[in-house]
Amino acid sequence: MHTNSKKNNTFSNLAANIPSSVVVFLVALPLCLGVALASNAPLFSGIIAGVCGGIIVGILSGSQLSVSGPAAGLTAIVASAIITLQSFEAFLVVVVLAGIMQVILGFVKAGVIGDYIPNSVIKGMLAAIGLILIINQVPQLLGDKSALPANDEESVAATGNIFVNFFRSFGHITPTALLIGIICLVFHFVWEKLVAGKKGFIKLVPAPLLIVFTGVGLNALFTSTGLMPALTENYLVHIPTAGSASEFVSFFTSPDWSAIQNAQVWVLAITIALVASLESLLSLEAIDDMDPYQRASPTNRELKAQGIGNIVSGLIGGIPVTSVIVRSSANVNAGAKTKMSAILHGVLLLSSVAFIPFLLNMIPKTALAAVLIFTGYKLAKPALFRLYYKKGWDQFLPFVITIAAILATDLLKGVIIGIGVGLFFAFRSNIRKAVFVVKDEYRYLFRLRKDVSFLNKAIIKQNLENVTDGARVIIDARRADYIDKDIVEVIEDFIIHAPLKNIDVQLETSGFIDHGFSHKILANDNRDGHLRRTYTKVITSIRQKSIPESQPELSNLASHSQ
């Protein structure tokens, strides 16, 4: 019975996984081409990455619903890397090395790395990627011929600042491309509004596929009617068509291993390994939340799977892969049960470039640009900026500074700057919350909470020195888990010289934690399980012993304070 039950379960899963794999394939196909286009890489390399992400990562990953492939989040890095190295084959070395580094990260159990990045920085990184996508794809949407390479080989030599290219493209508009692009983009927004909140079959229809069909249909209409000049040649997707199996195999590209001596290759590999790992881990966490069965995916195993996927992708001519939220969420919404859906979608991608490349070559690049611009908008929509502004400056500033830093430098430097800003606000919050000061006329309360480090020394010292003469001070350290020795010294110094200002000091500490206060300072009065210490008598005797007879006025002050 167990065997039959297992077989029935397998077949029932296939019944759910096969339709969902088709949906994911239809979503992934235009995105694989679009991401490769945005990365200044050969379009065929995007399909290779999709195949590796589906089959290789799908088999090795511990996630049942996550789908991997070329990610929009890496387009800026990949495009910059290809321009820097001036060779796609040299860039493939970067992909392989990044994969090896990810495998190492998996073995050293670095799967928790995503938990140490502030959420404001992560959202800022994604928003910056969205803005880069939009800026980078506007020339394609406008049909700027100067931004369209004549073939895939020329795309690796594409250069120029994205902002310069953005503004320059408005002077090189191709009307047909602009019209198709605008219609596709508007349709994308309308479709998004139309299916919002809907259930059933309409929710499963992939919007990117509809956009591609719209672009192909409009261009076919212009071709047959002559209403406008149709898009041809470099305005369309170009996937090489093979006449035989051996010719198809020849389309795959091998890395140029001579580039491994280039220091920039190693820097780029580290960058891609870190960013790809972070994006995969964040996507994995999101997909686990969407899983109807709430299955937890092993993060370290995911890093190893992603690393091997990138190694294989780089070895055969593909761009980097990560776990991607768009395809993964489509997989969940389509009703997938296990990882077989992701694996089958990779098989379908491979079959499409092997058997129907002529259909893919009918897709206008301006339609793919519309898909990517919409993706960029989703990552950097205005509502996200409003949300973080409402959360306060400690969330908003790391968010916007991360965006600005990424746009001004690159993704890795921008994230590091964002983390630095986030740490500043974390330290600032700790400094402010660790010490609580209340003043009521001549009465002061200093409450030390949780961990009080040397970072709090300045604010404690300043507030203690500002205590007025004749005041009564309570220093409550009962809620402090840890007090730095510097802070203990500051408090003891204040207690020692307080009688000179006729200040009455009372220190309350927990009877269960020794914070390191000197026993010469502390008295022994146990009340309610806590050591409640009053220092007037102790300090007076200390001061009287140390006051020279030639200074009777200080002796009188000490006696008066008693």
Side-chain angles (χ1 to χ4, degrees):
M1 289 183 64
H2 176 73
T3 303
N4 291 334
S5 175
K6 188 173 182 180
K7 287 182 178 179
N8 290 335
N9 184 54
T10 301
F11 282 115
S12 64
N13 284 338
L14 281 177
N17 289 330
I18 290 176
S20 60
S21 69
V22 175
V23 172
V24 177
F25 159 70
L26 295 175
V27 173
L29 180 60
L31 289 176
C32 288
L33 295 171
V35 170
L37 180 68
S39 302
N40 288 332
L43 299 184
F44 192 67
S45 68
I47 300 294
I48 294 173
V51 171
C52 292
I55 299 176
I56 305 298
V57 179
I59 292 173
L60 299 176
S61 173
S63 174
Q64 296 299 317
L65 298 178
S66 176
V67 180
S68 297
L74 291 175
T75 53
I77 299 177
V78 174
S80 175
I82 294 174
I83 292 171
T84 300
L85 299 175
Q86 287 293 301
S87 167
F88 182 69
E89 290 74 14
F91 172 72
L92 294 179
V93 178
V94 173
V95 180
V96 175
L97 291 176
I100 294 173
M101 293 175 187
Q102 285 184 290
V103 173
I104 294 173
L105 288 174
F107 276 109
V108 299
K109 303 186 183 304
V112 297
I113 188 174
D115 298 332
Y116 293 94
I117 308 295
N119 196 51
S120 57
V121 175
I122 293 170
K123 293 295 185 182
M125 178 189 74
L126 295 175
I129 290 168
L131 292 174
I132 291 172
L133 274 177
I134 294 171
I135 296 169
N136 222 1
Q137 291 306 302
V138 164
Q140 300 281 358
L141 187 81
L142 299 177
D144 179 8
K145 193 167 185 177
S146 65
L148 295 169
N151 52 62
D152 284 340
E153 284 69 32
E154 288 187 17
S155 67
V156 302
T159 186
N161 183 279
I162 60 172
F163 297 101
V164 174
N165 293 339
F166 173 82
F167 291 109
R168 186 182 60 190
S169 65
F170 288 93
H172 302 84
I173 296 176
T174 301
T176 304
L178 176 61
L179 179 61
I180 293 175
I182 291 298
I183 291 175
C184 289
L185 187 58
V186 171
F187 181 78
H188 211 330
F189 278 97
V190 172
W191 183 261
E192 181 80 3
K193 293 288 185 182
L194 183 65
V195 301
K198 298 289 179 66
K199 296 181 179 179
F201 176 76
I202 191 173
K203 191 73 175 178
L204 301 179
V205 178
L209 182 67
L210 291 180
I211 301 306
V212 166
F213 281 159
T214 301
V216 172
L218 287 172
N219 197 46
L221 176 66
F222 296 150
T223 302
S224 60
T225 62
L227 292 175
M228 295 190 72
L231 299 178
T232 59
E233 298 177 351
N234 58 324
Y235 289 98
L236 302 177
V237 165
H238 176 68
I239 297 292
T241 303
S244 64
S246 59
E247 186 180 0
F248 179 71
V249 172
S250 69
F251 295 155
F252 294 86
T253 309
S254 299
D256 177 10
W257 293 107
S258 65
I260 201 169
Q261 300 176 8
N262 187 342
Q264 289 180 318
V265 166
W266 290 90
V267 173
L268 291 168
I270 294 172
T271 303
I272 289 178
L274 292 176
V275 176
S277 298
L278 180 60
E279 186 166 348
S280 293
L281 293 172
L282 296 176
S283 177
L284 197 67
E285 183 177 348
I287 295 305
D288 284 349
D289 288 339
M290 296 176 63
D291 186 355
Y293 300 101
Q294 292 297 297
R295 290 166 287 191
S297 302
T299 55
N300 294 316
R301 178 176 171 180
E302 184 67 20
L303 288 178
K304 297 173 188 176
Q306 294 291 336
I308 295 174
N310 275 319
I311 292 172
V312 175
S313 182
L315 288 174
I316 62 177
I319 55 179
V321 303
T322 73
S323 175
V324 279
I325 191 67
V326 175
R327 274 154 274 188
S328 300
S329 58
N331 195 35
V332 174
N333 294 330
K337 300 294 184 183
T338 66
K339 62 170 69 177
M340 184 57 68
S341 175
I343 297 170
L344 290 175
H345 118 276
V347 174
L348 290 173
L349 281 174
L350 181 60
S351 302
S352 68
V353 294
F355 300 112
I356 57 169
F358 58 92
L359 293 178
L360 303 182
N361 290 338
M362 297 172 63
I363 302 173
K365 290 181 178 178
T366 184
L368 296 179
V371 172
L372 290 170
I373 288 174
F374 183 82
T375 303
Y377 170 79
K378 295 285 285 184
L379 291 173
K381 52 187 176 183
L384 186 63
F385 287 81
R386 291 195 296 269
L387 174 65
Y388 272 87
Y389 180 75
K390 291 178 180 179
K391 286 186 175 183
W393 290 107
D394 60 331
Q395 294 291 311
F396 184 68
L397 282 180
F399 172 72
V400 295
I401 290 175
T402 300
I403 295 173
I406 290 174
L407 293 176
T409 57
D410 57 50
L411 201 62
L412 184 60
K413 291 178 183 176
V415 169
I416 292 174
I417 292 172
I419 292 173
V421 176
L423 287 175
F424 167 78
F425 279 101
F427 284 134
R428 179 173 175 266
S429 175
N430 179 68
I431 291 172
R432 295 176 65 181
K433 292 182 179 179
V435 181
F436 178 71
V437 182
V438 178
K439 176 185 177 183
D440 179 20
E441 294 183 349
Y442 286 95
R443 291 174 294 180
Y444 293 79
L445 170 63
F446 287 79
R447 179 163 288 156
L448 309 183
R449 299 182 290 192
K450 201 168 174 54
D451 300 325
V452 188
S453 71
F454 69 94
L455 297 173
N456 304 102
K457 181 177 178 179
I459 190 170
I460 293 177
K461 190 172 184 178
Q462 180 181 358
N463 279 281
L464 287 175
E465 292 300 323
N466 289 336
V467 173
T468 56
D469 293 3
R472 184 186 179 195
V473 177
I474 298 176
I475 302 175
D476 183 3
R478 291 175 298 175
R479 301 182 184 181
D481 295 331
Y482 166 78
I483 302 178
D484 192 278
K485 299 303 180 185
D486 285 0
I487 305 300
V488 171
E489 184 177 337
V490 167
I491 293 174
E492 289 185 343
D493 289 346
F494 173 75
I495 291 173
I496 290 173
H497 74 253
L500 299 177
K501 296 182 179 180
N502 197 26
I503 297 174
D504 179 62
V505 184
Q506 185 175 306
L507 176 64
E508 297 183 358
T509 63
S510 169
F512 305 101
I513 302 176
D514 181 10
H515 291 124
F517 289 101
S518 173
H519 293 288
K520 294 182 179 180
I521 298 290
L522 301 179
N524 296 314
D525 181 15
N526 192 347
R527 299 182 184 179
D528 300 327
H530 296 286
L531 295 179
R532 183 180 178 89
R533 315 179 192 278
T534 303
Y535 297 95
T536 306
K537 295 180 180 180
V538 176
I539 295 172
T540 300
S541 62
I542 293 174
R543 297 303 298 167
Q544 284 179 334
K545 291 179 181 178
S546 60
I547 296 174
E549 295 181 0
S550 58
Q551 299 183 22
E553 67 278 2
L554 292 182
S555 179
N556 292 335
L557 178 60
S559 300
H560 178 72
S561 66
Q562 186 175 358

